[in-house]
PDB file of all heavy atoms in Angstrom:
ATOM      1  N   ARG A1111       0.962  -1.101   0.006  1.00  0.00           N
ATOM      2  CA  ARG A1111       0.017  -0.018  -0.002  1.00  0.00           C
ATOM      3  C   ARG A1111       0.944   1.173   0.028  1.00  0.00           C
ATOM      4  O   ARG A1111       0.634   2.281  -0.737  1.00  0.00           O
ATOM      5  CB  ARG A1111      -0.977   0.090   1.249  1.00  0.00           C
ATOM      6  CG  ARG A1111      -1.991   0.978   1.176  1.00  0.00           C
ATOM      7  CD  ARG A1111      -2.826   1.133   2.484  1.00  0.00           C
ATOM      8  NE  ARG A1111      -3.540  -0.156   2.587  1.00  0.00           N
ATOM      9  CZ  ARG A1111      -4.632  -0.417   2.009  1.00  0.00           C
ATOM     10  NH1 ARG A1111      -5.250   0.365   1.242  1.00  0.00           N
ATOM     11  NH2 ARG A1111      -5.213  -1.605   2.285  1.00  0.00           N
ATOM     12  N   LEU A1112       1.957   1.248   0.808  1.00  0.00           N
ATOM     13  CA  LEU A1112       2.905   2.389   0.861  1.00  0.00           C
ATOM     14  C   LEU A1112       3.678   2.496  -0.445  1.00  0.00           C
ATOM     15  O   LEU A1112       3.946   3.611  -0.964  1.00  0.00           O
ATOM     16  CB  LEU A1112       3.887   2.168   2.086  1.00  0.00           C
ATOM     17  CG  LEU A1112       4.867   3.344   2.234  1.00  0.00           C
ATOM     18  CD1 LEU A1112       4.088   4.779   2.382  1.00  0.00           C
ATOM     19  CD2 LEU A1112       5.707   3.222   3.428  1.00  0.00           C
ATOM     20  N   TYR A1113       4.073   1.411  -1.010  1.00  0.00           N
ATOM     21  CA  TYR A1113       4.717   1.384  -2.319  1.00  0.00           C
ATOM     22  C   TYR A1113       3.850   2.072  -3.378  1.00  0.00           C
ATOM     23  O   TYR A1113       4.401   2.712  -4.212  1.00  0.00           O
ATOM     24  CB  TYR A1113       4.998  -0.028  -2.688  1.00  0.00           C
ATOM     25  CG  TYR A1113       5.940  -0.109  -3.954  1.00  0.00           C
ATOM     26  CD1 TYR A1113       7.282  -0.154  -3.832  1.00  0.00           C
ATOM     27  CD2 TYR A1113       5.461  -0.270  -5.178  1.00  0.00           C
ATOM     28  CE1 TYR A1113       8.179  -0.172  -4.879  1.00  0.00           C
ATOM     29  CE2 TYR A1113       6.156  -0.307  -6.330  1.00  0.00           C
ATOM     30  CZ  TYR A1113       7.599  -0.437  -6.225  1.00  0.00           C
ATOM     31  OH  TYR A1113       8.410  -0.401  -7.247  1.00  0.00           O
ATOM     32  N   LYS A1114       2.659   1.914  -3.355  1.00  0.00           N
ATOM     33  CA  LYS A1114       1.714   2.394  -4.290  1.00  0.00           C
ATOM     34  C   LYS A1114       1.209   3.829  -3.909  1.00  0.00           C
ATOM     35  O   LYS A1114       0.805   4.587  -4.837  1.00  0.00           O
ATOM     36  CB  LYS A1114       0.491   1.487  -4.553  1.00  0.00           C
ATOM     37  CG  LYS A1114      -0.467   1.949  -5.528  1.00  0.00           C
ATOM     38  CD  LYS A1114       0.127   1.868  -6.968  1.00  0.00           C
ATOM     39  CE  LYS A1114      -0.891   2.141  -8.087  1.00  0.00           C
ATOM     40  NZ  LYS A1114      -0.226   2.253  -9.406  1.00  0.00           N
ATOM     41  N   ALA A1115       1.378   4.178  -2.740  1.00  0.00           N
ATOM     42  CA  ALA A1115       0.695   5.417  -2.145  1.00  0.00           C
ATOM     43  C   ALA A1115       1.297   6.657  -2.933  1.00  0.00           C
ATOM     44  O   ALA A1115       2.308   6.796  -3.390  1.00  0.00           O
ATOM     45  CB  ALA A1115       0.987   5.545  -0.668  1.00  0.00           C
ATOM     46  N   GLY A1116       0.360   7.646  -2.932  1.00  0.00           N
ATOM     47  CA  GLY A1116       0.612   8.901  -3.532  1.00  0.00           C
ATOM     48  C   GLY A1116      -0.573   9.663  -3.921  1.00  0.00           C
ATOM     49  O   GLY A1116      -1.381   9.824  -2.935  1.00  0.00           O
ATOM     50  N   GLU A1117      -0.889   9.837  -5.192  1.00  0.00           N
ATOM     51  CA  GLU A1117      -2.069  10.512  -5.525  1.00  0.00           C
ATOM     52  C   GLU A1117      -3.249   9.481  -5.652  1.00  0.00           C
ATOM     53  O   GLU A1117      -4.466   9.853  -5.779  1.00  0.00           O
ATOM     54  CB  GLU A1117      -1.908  11.201  -6.852  1.00  0.00           C
ATOM     55  CG  GLU A1117      -1.944  10.333  -8.094  1.00  0.00           C
ATOM     56  CD  GLU A1117      -0.624   9.620  -8.289  1.00  0.00           C
ATOM     57  OE1 GLU A1117       0.280   9.786  -7.521  1.00  0.00           O
ATOM     58  OE2 GLU A1117      -0.450   8.922  -9.248  1.00  0.00           O
ATOM     59  N   GLU A1118      -3.060   8.199  -5.532  1.00  0.00           N
ATOM     60  CA  GLU A1118      -4.072   7.265  -5.582  1.00  0.00           C
ATOM     61  C   GLU A1118      -4.899   7.317  -4.287  1.00  0.00           C
ATOM     62  O   GLU A1118      -4.609   7.607  -3.236  1.00  0.00           O
ATOM     63  CB  GLU A1118      -3.374   5.852  -5.639  1.00  0.00           C
ATOM     64  CG  GLU A1118      -2.532   5.643  -6.737  1.00  0.00           C
ATOM     65  CD  GLU A1118      -3.205   5.643  -8.180  1.00  0.00           C
ATOM     66  OE1 GLU A1118      -4.475   5.729  -8.168  1.00  0.00           O
ATOM     67  OE2 GLU A1118      -2.616   5.451  -9.215  1.00  0.00           O
ATOM     68  N   SER A1119      -6.205   6.865  -4.527  1.00  0.00           N
ATOM     69  CA  SER A1119      -7.207   6.920  -3.351  1.00  0.00           C
ATOM     70  C   SER A1119      -7.031   5.637  -2.615  1.00  0.00           C
ATOM     71  O   SER A1119      -6.302   4.660  -3.022  1.00  0.00           O
ATOM     72  CB  SER A1119      -8.630   6.882  -3.869  1.00  0.00           C
ATOM     73  OG  SER A1119      -8.918   5.768  -4.674  1.00  0.00           O
ATOM     74  N   VAL A1120      -7.542   5.603  -1.423  1.00  0.00           N
ATOM     75  CA  VAL A1120      -7.457   4.359  -0.521  1.00  0.00           C
ATOM     76  C   VAL A1120      -7.999   3.122  -1.306  1.00  0.00           C
ATOM     77  O   VAL A1120      -7.479   2.064  -1.291  1.00  0.00           O
ATOM     78  CB  VAL A1120      -8.175   4.530   0.813  1.00  0.00           C
ATOM     79  CG1 VAL A1120      -8.214   3.269   1.559  1.00  0.00           C
ATOM     80  CG2 VAL A1120      -7.512   5.638   1.567  1.00  0.00           C
ATOM     81  N   SER A1121      -9.118   3.318  -2.079  1.00  0.00           N
ATOM     82  CA  SER A1121      -9.831   2.282  -2.628  1.00  0.00           C
ATOM     83  C   SER A1121      -8.908   1.702  -3.813  1.00  0.00           C
ATOM     84  O   SER A1121      -8.840   0.409  -4.002  1.00  0.00           O
ATOM     85  CB  SER A1121     -11.071   2.670  -3.235  1.00  0.00           C
ATOM     86  OG  SER A1121     -11.048   3.667  -4.150  1.00  0.00           O
ATOM     87  N   LEU A1122      -8.241   2.606  -4.581  1.00  0.00           N
ATOM     88  CA  LEU A1122      -7.407   2.198  -5.612  1.00  0.00           C
ATOM     89  C   LEU A1122      -6.079   1.397  -5.072  1.00  0.00           C
ATOM     90  O   LEU A1122      -5.663   0.484  -5.653  1.00  0.00           O
ATOM     91  CB  LEU A1122      -6.935   3.242  -6.458  1.00  0.00           C
ATOM     92  CG  LEU A1122      -8.005   3.845  -7.367  1.00  0.00           C
ATOM     93  CD1 LEU A1122      -7.523   5.038  -8.227  1.00  0.00           C
ATOM     94  CD2 LEU A1122      -8.479   2.904  -8.375  1.00  0.00           C
ATOM     95  N   GLU A1123      -5.676   1.866  -3.956  1.00  0.00           N
ATOM     96  CA  GLU A1123      -4.538   1.293  -3.227  1.00  0.00           C
ATOM     97  C   GLU A1123      -4.854  -0.187  -2.882  1.00  0.00           C
ATOM     98  O   GLU A1123      -4.144  -1.090  -3.045  1.00  0.00           O
ATOM     99  CB  GLU A1123      -4.020   1.950  -2.177  1.00  0.00           C
ATOM    100  CG  GLU A1123      -3.278   3.331  -2.469  1.00  0.00           C
ATOM    101  CD  GLU A1123      -3.049   4.187  -1.237  1.00  0.00           C
ATOM    102  OE1 GLU A1123      -3.223   3.709  -0.201  1.00  0.00           O
ATOM    103  OE2 GLU A1123      -2.651   5.383  -1.528  1.00  0.00           O
ATOM    104  N   THR A1124      -6.070  -0.291  -2.360  1.00  0.00           N
ATOM    105  CA  THR A1124      -6.677  -1.616  -1.885  1.00  0.00           C
ATOM    106  C   THR A1124      -6.682  -2.607  -3.128  1.00  0.00           C
ATOM    107  O   THR A1124      -6.311  -3.730  -2.992  1.00  0.00           O
ATOM    108  CB  THR A1124      -7.980  -1.444  -1.171  1.00  0.00           C
ATOM    109  OG1 THR A1124      -7.859  -0.556  -0.043  1.00  0.00           O
ATOM    110  CG2 THR A1124      -8.516  -2.838  -0.799  1.00  0.00           C
ATOM    111  N   GLU A1125      -7.228  -2.033  -4.173  1.00  0.00           N
ATOM    112  CA  GLU A1125      -7.349  -2.814  -5.448  1.00  0.00           C
ATOM    113  C   GLU A1125      -5.928  -3.269  -5.867  1.00  0.00           C
ATOM    114  O   GLU A1125      -5.810  -4.401  -6.331  1.00  0.00           O
ATOM    115  CB  GLU A1125      -8.062  -2.051  -6.452  1.00  0.00           C
ATOM    116  CG  GLU A1125      -8.120  -2.815  -7.783  1.00  0.00           C
ATOM    117  CD  GLU A1125      -8.675  -1.957  -8.952  1.00  0.00           C
ATOM    118  OE1 GLU A1125      -9.037  -0.782  -8.744  1.00  0.00           O
ATOM    119  OE2 GLU A1125      -8.819  -2.467 -10.051  1.00  0.00           O
ATOM    120  N   TYR A1126      -5.019  -2.428  -5.743  1.00  0.00           N
ATOM    121  CA  TYR A1126      -3.553  -2.673  -6.183  1.00  0.00           C
ATOM    122  C   TYR A1126      -3.099  -3.778  -5.365  1.00  0.00           C
ATOM    123  O   TYR A1126      -2.421  -4.734  -5.916  1.00  0.00           O
ATOM    124  CB  TYR A1126      -2.679  -1.408  -6.119  1.00  0.00           C
ATOM    125  CG  TYR A1126      -1.176  -1.703  -6.173  1.00  0.00           C
ATOM    126  CD1 TYR A1126      -0.731  -1.736  -7.480  1.00  0.00           C
ATOM    127  CD2 TYR A1126      -0.449  -1.771  -5.061  1.00  0.00           C
ATOM    128  CE1 TYR A1126       0.677  -1.933  -7.519  1.00  0.00           C
ATOM    129  CE2 TYR A1126       0.915  -1.897  -5.266  1.00  0.00           C
ATOM    130  CZ  TYR A1126       1.441  -2.074  -6.546  1.00  0.00           C
ATOM    131  OH  TYR A1126       2.841  -2.285  -6.574  1.00  0.00           O
ATOM    132  N   VAL A1127      -3.240  -3.670  -4.155  1.00  0.00           N
ATOM    133  CA  VAL A1127      -2.659  -4.710  -3.158  1.00  0.00           C
ATOM    134  C   VAL A1127      -3.340  -6.125  -3.470  1.00  0.00           C
ATOM    135  O   VAL A1127      -2.658  -7.110  -3.636  1.00  0.00           O
ATOM    136  CB  VAL A1127      -2.946  -4.431  -1.633  1.00  0.00           C
ATOM    137  CG1 VAL A1127      -2.512  -5.576  -0.763  1.00  0.00           C
ATOM    138  CG2 VAL A1127      -2.157  -3.184  -1.275  1.00  0.00           C
ATOM    139  N   SER A1128      -4.588  -6.146  -3.698  1.00  0.00           N
ATOM    140  CA  SER A1128      -5.300  -7.361  -4.149  1.00  0.00           C
ATOM    141  C   SER A1128      -4.742  -7.938  -5.299  1.00  0.00           C
ATOM    142  O   SER A1128      -4.540  -9.131  -5.579  1.00  0.00           O
ATOM    143  CB  SER A1128      -6.739  -7.130  -4.172  1.00  0.00           C
ATOM    144  OG  SER A1128      -7.468  -8.208  -4.634  1.00  0.00           O
ATOM    145  N   ARG A1129      -4.541  -7.088  -6.418  1.00  0.00           N
ATOM    146  CA  ARG A1129      -4.031  -7.529  -7.683  1.00  0.00           C
ATOM    147  C   ARG A1129      -2.698  -8.112  -7.596  1.00  0.00           C
ATOM    148  O   ARG A1129      -2.455  -9.199  -8.198  1.00  0.00           O
ATOM    149  CB  ARG A1129      -4.022  -6.448  -8.688  1.00  0.00           C
ATOM    150  CG  ARG A1129      -5.393  -5.897  -9.167  1.00  0.00           C
ATOM    151  CD  ARG A1129      -5.136  -4.650 -10.050  1.00  0.00           C
ATOM    152  NE  ARG A1129      -4.451  -4.968 -11.312  1.00  0.00           N
ATOM    153  CZ  ARG A1129      -4.001  -4.064 -11.937  1.00  0.00           C
ATOM    154  NH1 ARG A1129      -3.992  -2.728 -11.665  1.00  0.00           N
ATOM    155  NH2 ARG A1129      -3.197  -4.414 -13.004  1.00  0.00           N
ATOM    156  N   VAL A1130      -1.734  -7.523  -6.849  1.00  0.00           N
ATOM    157  CA  VAL A1130      -0.475  -8.086  -6.585  1.00  0.00           C
ATOM    158  C   VAL A1130      -0.422  -9.440  -5.912  1.00  0.00           C
ATOM    159  O   VAL A1130       0.160 -10.379  -6.314  1.00  0.00           O
ATOM    160  CB  VAL A1130       0.470  -7.068  -5.813  1.00  0.00           C
ATOM    161  CG1 VAL A1130       1.740  -7.717  -5.296  1.00  0.00           C
ATOM    162  CG2 VAL A1130       0.683  -5.822  -6.625  1.00  0.00           C
ATOM    163  N   LEU A1131      -1.330  -9.536  -4.933  1.00  0.00           N
ATOM    164  CA  LEU A1131      -1.333 -10.762  -4.106  1.00  0.00           C
ATOM    165  C   LEU A1131      -1.977 -11.881  -4.903  1.00  0.00           C
ATOM    166  O   LEU A1131      -1.572 -13.008  -4.837  1.00  0.00           O
ATOM    167  CB  LEU A1131      -2.126 -10.510  -2.858  1.00  0.00           C
ATOM    168  CG  LEU A1131      -1.458  -9.628  -1.853  1.00  0.00           C
ATOM    169  CD1 LEU A1131      -2.283  -9.542  -0.559  1.00  0.00           C
ATOM    170  CD2 LEU A1131      -0.058 -10.065  -1.446  1.00  0.00           C
ATOM    171  N   VAL A1132      -2.951 -11.480  -5.754  1.00  0.00           N
ATOM    172  CA  VAL A1132      -3.547 -12.613  -6.599  1.00  0.00           C
ATOM    173  C   VAL A1132      -2.480 -13.098  -7.675  1.00  0.00           C
ATOM    174  O   VAL A1132      -2.372 -14.208  -7.966  1.00  0.00           O
ATOM    175  CB  VAL A1132      -4.793 -11.979  -7.311  1.00  0.00           C
ATOM    176  CG1 VAL A1132      -5.195 -12.937  -8.514  1.00  0.00           C
ATOM    177  CG2 VAL A1132      -5.858 -11.817  -6.326  1.00  0.00           C
ATOM    178  N   GLU A1133      -1.772 -12.090  -8.217  1.00  0.00           N
ATOM    179  CA  GLU A1133      -0.770 -12.480  -9.254  1.00  0.00           C
ATOM    180  C   GLU A1133       0.333 -13.289  -8.522  1.00  0.00           C
ATOM    181  O   GLU A1133       0.900 -14.243  -9.070  1.00  0.00           O
ATOM    182  CB  GLU A1133      -0.139 -11.181  -9.876  1.00  0.00           C
ATOM    183  CG  GLU A1133       0.978 -11.423 -10.882  1.00  0.00           C
ATOM    184  CD  GLU A1133       0.669 -12.293 -11.976  1.00  0.00           C
ATOM    185  OE1 GLU A1133      -0.602 -12.709 -12.195  1.00  0.00           O
ATOM    186  OE2 GLU A1133       1.463 -12.610 -12.911  1.00  0.00           O
ATOM    187  N   GLN A1134       0.761 -12.892  -7.403  1.00  0.00           N
ATOM    188  CA  GLN A1134       1.735 -13.680  -6.621  1.00  0.00           C
ATOM    189  C   GLN A1134       1.209 -15.233  -6.428  1.00  0.00           C
ATOM    190  O   GLN A1134       1.977 -15.974  -6.598  1.00  0.00           O
ATOM    191  CB  GLN A1134       2.108 -13.093  -5.315  1.00  0.00           C
ATOM    192  CG  GLN A1134       3.095 -13.954  -4.582  1.00  0.00           C
ATOM    193  CD  GLN A1134       3.504 -13.284  -3.092  1.00  0.00           C
ATOM    194  OE1 GLN A1134       2.665 -12.710  -2.582  1.00  0.00           O
ATOM    195  NE2 GLN A1134       4.634 -13.645  -2.575  1.00  0.00           N
ATOM    196  N   GLU A1135       0.044 -15.289  -6.066  1.00  0.00           N
ATOM    197  CA  GLU A1135      -0.472 -16.678  -5.830  1.00  0.00           C
ATOM    198  C   GLU A1135      -0.595 -17.397  -7.180  1.00  0.00           C
ATOM    199  O   GLU A1135      -0.261 -18.634  -7.160  1.00  0.00           O
ATOM    200  CB  GLU A1135      -1.946 -16.613  -5.274  1.00  0.00           C
ATOM    201  CG  GLU A1135      -2.515 -17.941  -4.952  1.00  0.00           C
ATOM    202  CD  GLU A1135      -1.770 -18.769  -3.921  1.00  0.00           C
ATOM    203  OE1 GLU A1135      -0.999 -18.095  -3.078  1.00  0.00           O
ATOM    204  OE2 GLU A1135      -1.778 -19.999  -4.020  1.00  0.00           O
ATOM    205  N   ARG A1136      -0.896 -16.842  -8.232  1.00  0.00           N
ATOM    206  CA  ARG A1136      -0.795 -17.447  -9.684  1.00  0.00           C
ATOM    207  C   ARG A1136       0.559 -17.976  -9.779  1.00  0.00           C
ATOM    208  O   ARG A1136       0.838 -19.064 -10.276  1.00  0.00           O
ATOM    209  CB  ARG A1136      -1.251 -16.516 -10.687  1.00  0.00           C
ATOM    210  CG  ARG A1136      -1.314 -17.161 -12.085  1.00  0.00           C
ATOM    211  CD  ARG A1136      -1.557 -16.165 -13.194  1.00  0.00           C
ATOM    212  NE  ARG A1136      -0.392 -15.353 -13.432  1.00  0.00           N
ATOM    213  CZ  ARG A1136       0.615 -15.812 -14.318  1.00  0.00           C
ATOM    214  NH1 ARG A1136       0.403 -16.879 -14.994  1.00  0.00           N
ATOM    215  NH2 ARG A1136       1.604 -14.986 -14.601  1.00  0.00           N
ATOM    216  N   LEU A1137       1.615 -17.136  -9.615  1.00  0.00           N
ATOM    217  CA  LEU A1137       3.027 -17.537  -9.810  1.00  0.00           C
ATOM    218  C   LEU A1137       3.404 -18.702  -8.950  1.00  0.00           C
ATOM    219  O   LEU A1137       4.123 -19.617  -9.196  1.00  0.00           O
ATOM    220  CB  LEU A1137       3.939 -16.323  -9.531  1.00  0.00           C
ATOM    221  CG  LEU A1137       3.725 -15.201 -10.602  1.00  0.00           C
ATOM    222  CD1 LEU A1137       4.455 -13.946 -10.210  1.00  0.00           C
ATOM    223  CD2 LEU A1137       4.259 -15.648 -12.024  1.00  0.00           C
ATOM    224  N   LYS A1138       2.997 -18.653  -7.715  1.00  0.00           N
ATOM    225  CA  LYS A1138       3.331 -19.682  -6.672  1.00  0.00           C
ATOM    226  C   LYS A1138       2.829 -21.080  -7.177  1.00  0.00           C
ATOM    227  O   LYS A1138       3.325 -22.137  -7.014  1.00  0.00           O
ATOM    228  CB  LYS A1138       2.791 -19.301  -5.299  1.00  0.00           C
ATOM    229  CG  LYS A1138       3.654 -18.332  -4.548  1.00  0.00           C
ATOM    230  CD  LYS A1138       3.078 -18.141  -3.174  1.00  0.00           C
ATOM    231  CE  LYS A1138       3.915 -17.153  -2.376  1.00  0.00           C
ATOM    232  NZ  LYS A1138       3.389 -16.876  -1.059  1.00  0.00           N
ATOM    233  N   GLN A1139       1.516 -21.057  -7.769  1.00  0.00           N
ATOM    234  CA  GLN A1139       0.877 -22.228  -8.170  1.00  0.00           C
ATOM    235  C   GLN A1139       1.688 -22.813  -9.330  1.00  0.00           C
ATOM    236  O   GLN A1139       1.567 -23.969  -9.636  1.00  0.00           O
ATOM    237  CB  GLN A1139      -0.514 -21.902  -8.598  1.00  0.00           C
ATOM    238  CG  GLN A1139      -1.418 -21.573  -7.573  1.00  0.00           C
ATOM    239  CD  GLN A1139      -1.591 -22.701  -6.532  1.00  0.00           C
ATOM    240  OE1 GLN A1139      -1.716 -23.840  -6.805  1.00  0.00           O
ATOM    241  NE2 GLN A1139      -1.554 -22.329  -5.201  1.00  0.00           N
ATOM    242  N   ALA A1140       2.530 -21.957 -10.057  1.00  0.00           N
ATOM    243  CA  ALA A1140       3.241 -22.513 -11.203  1.00  0.00           C
ATOM    244  C   ALA A1140       4.530 -23.141 -10.736  1.00  0.00           C
ATOM    245  O   ALA A1140       5.160 -23.878 -11.567  1.00  0.00           O
ATOM    246  CB  ALA A1140       3.614 -21.335 -12.106  1.00  0.00           C
ATOM    247  N   LEU A1141       4.904 -23.139  -9.503  1.00  0.00           N
ATOM    248  CA  LEU A1141       6.109 -23.646  -9.064  1.00  0.00           C
ATOM    249  C   LEU A1141       6.004 -25.198  -8.847  1.00  0.00           C
ATOM    250  O   LEU A1141       4.985 -25.600  -8.679  1.00  0.00           O
ATOM    251  CB  LEU A1141       6.652 -23.002  -7.727  1.00  0.00           C
ATOM    252  CG  LEU A1141       7.006 -21.599  -7.673  1.00  0.00           C
ATOM    253  CD1 LEU A1141       7.081 -21.029  -6.283  1.00  0.00           C
ATOM    254  CD2 LEU A1141       8.356 -21.556  -8.293  1.00  0.00           C
ATOM    255  N   PRO A1142       7.129 -25.834  -9.174  1.00  0.00           N
ATOM    256  CA  PRO A1142       7.180 -27.241  -8.875  1.00  0.00           C
ATOM    257  C   PRO A1142       6.814 -27.530  -7.455  1.00  0.00           C
ATOM    258  O   PRO A1142       7.203 -26.787  -6.569  1.00  0.00           O
ATOM    259  CB  PRO A1142       8.535 -27.667  -9.174  1.00  0.00           C
ATOM    260  CG  PRO A1142       9.109 -26.762 -10.105  1.00  0.00           C
ATOM    261  CD  PRO A1142       8.363 -25.447  -9.679  1.00  0.00           C
ATOM    262  N   LYS A1143       6.231 -28.646  -7.092  1.00  0.00           N
ATOM    263  CA  LYS A1143       5.687 -28.843  -5.769  1.00  0.00           C
ATOM    264  C   LYS A1143       6.824 -28.768  -4.752  1.00  0.00           C
ATOM    265  O   LYS A1143       6.596 -28.102  -3.705  1.00  0.00           O
ATOM    266  CB  LYS A1143       5.011 -30.285  -5.643  1.00  0.00           C
ATOM    267  CG  LYS A1143       4.500 -30.556  -4.378  1.00  0.00           C
ATOM    268  CD  LYS A1143       3.661 -31.792  -4.276  1.00  0.00           C
ATOM    269  CE  LYS A1143       3.145 -32.131  -2.854  1.00  0.00           C
ATOM    270  NZ  LYS A1143       2.680 -31.103  -2.066  1.00  0.00           N
ATOM    271  N   VAL A1144       8.032 -29.340  -4.960  1.00  0.00           N
ATOM    272  CA  VAL A1144       9.163 -29.193  -4.052  1.00  0.00           C
ATOM    273  C   VAL A1144       9.443 -27.783  -3.782  1.00  0.00           C
ATOM    274  O   VAL A1144       9.696 -27.341  -2.723  1.00  0.00           O
ATOM    275  CB  VAL A1144      10.310 -30.112  -4.600  1.00  0.00           C
ATOM    276  CG1 VAL A1144      11.486 -29.836  -3.580  1.00  0.00           C
ATOM    277  CG2 VAL A1144       9.928 -31.500  -4.622  1.00  0.00           C
ATOM    278  N   ALA A1145       9.479 -26.993  -4.978  1.00  0.00           N
ATOM    279  CA  ALA A1145       9.953 -25.604  -4.770  1.00  0.00           C
ATOM    280  C   ALA A1145       8.797 -24.833  -4.135  1.00  0.00           C
ATOM    281  O   ALA A1145       9.147 -23.880  -3.377  1.00  0.00           O
ATOM    282  CB  ALA A1145      10.170 -25.057  -6.180  1.00  0.00           C
ATOM    283  N   ALA A1146       7.599 -25.196  -4.396  1.00  0.00           N
ATOM    284  CA  ALA A1146       6.513 -24.464  -3.767  1.00  0.00           C
ATOM    285  C   ALA A1146       6.316 -24.661  -2.300  1.00  0.00           C
ATOM    286  O   ALA A1146       5.884 -23.794  -1.567  1.00  0.00           O
ATOM    287  CB  ALA A1146       5.215 -24.887  -4.491  1.00  0.00           C
ATOM    288  N   ASP A1147       6.825 -25.786  -1.855  1.00  0.00           N
ATOM    289  CA  ASP A1147       6.705 -26.035  -0.388  1.00  0.00           C
ATOM    290  C   ASP A1147       7.726 -25.360   0.366  1.00  0.00           C
ATOM    291  O   ASP A1147       7.569 -25.228   1.665  1.00  0.00           O
ATOM    292  CB  ASP A1147       6.868 -27.607  -0.140  1.00  0.00           C
ATOM    293  CG  ASP A1147       5.756 -28.453  -0.659  1.00  0.00           C
ATOM    294  OD1 ASP A1147       4.674 -27.758  -0.743  1.00  0.00           O
ATOM    295  OD2 ASP A1147       5.890 -29.535  -0.917  1.00  0.00           O
ATOM    296  N   ALA A1148       8.728 -24.779  -0.213  1.00  0.00           N
ATOM    297  CA  ALA A1148       9.778 -23.991   0.451  1.00  0.00           C
ATOM    298  C   ALA A1148       9.866 -22.724  -0.252  1.00  0.00           C
ATOM    299  O   ALA A1148       9.512 -22.581  -1.390  1.00  0.00           O
ATOM    300  CB  ALA A1148      11.063 -24.661   0.462  1.00  0.00           C
ATOM    301  N   LYS A1149      10.493 -21.660   0.355  1.00  0.00           N
ATOM    302  CA  LYS A1149      10.681 -20.454  -0.272  1.00  0.00           C
ATOM    303  C   LYS A1149      11.644 -20.555  -1.485  1.00  0.00           C
ATOM    304  O   LYS A1149      12.685 -21.179  -1.350  1.00  0.00           O
ATOM    305  CB  LYS A1149      11.359 -19.470   0.763  1.00  0.00           C
ATOM    306  CG  LYS A1149      11.616 -18.077   0.070  1.00  0.00           C
ATOM    307  CD  LYS A1149      12.303 -17.131   1.009  1.00  0.00           C
ATOM    308  CE  LYS A1149      12.663 -15.773   0.434  1.00  0.00           C
ATOM    309  NZ  LYS A1149      13.224 -14.904   1.386  1.00  0.00           N
ATOM    310  N   PRO A1150      11.372 -20.182  -2.620  1.00  0.00           N
ATOM    311  CA  PRO A1150      12.277 -20.278  -3.763  1.00  0.00           C
ATOM    312  C   PRO A1150      13.596 -19.511  -3.503  1.00  0.00           C
ATOM    313  O   PRO A1150      13.662 -18.478  -3.068  1.00  0.00           O
ATOM    314  CB  PRO A1150      11.502 -19.551  -4.999  1.00  0.00           C
ATOM    315  CG  PRO A1150      10.066 -19.566  -4.556  1.00  0.00           C
ATOM    316  CD  PRO A1150      10.107 -19.523  -3.075  1.00  0.00           C
TER     317      PRO A1150
END
């Protein structure tokens, strides 16, 4: 939220955080199981 903060509204920052976390989860799902069980 702070990384994105500036002229953006609170609602847009919240949307940004959600989009980043959803994309991160998509990427985690792409990892091989062994790699996904531990921090890459």
Side-chain angles (χ1 to χ4, degrees):
R1111 189 183 298 278
L1112 182 56
Y1113 187 87
K1114 184 64 173 175
E1117 75 280 3
E1118 303 287 0
S1119 66
V1120 174
S1121 61
L1122 287 178
E1123 289 169 13
T1124 300
E1125 179 186 359
Y1126 170 81
V1127 172
S1128 176
R1129 289 175 61 200
V1130 170
L1131 295 180
V1132 167
E1133 176 63 2
Q1134 182 185 20
E1135 183 59 29
R1136 184 188 77 86
L1137 293 169
K1138 285 183 174 181
Q1139 291 299 319
L1141 288 167
K1143 180 170 176 46
V1144 174
D1147 291 339
K1149 178 183 176 181

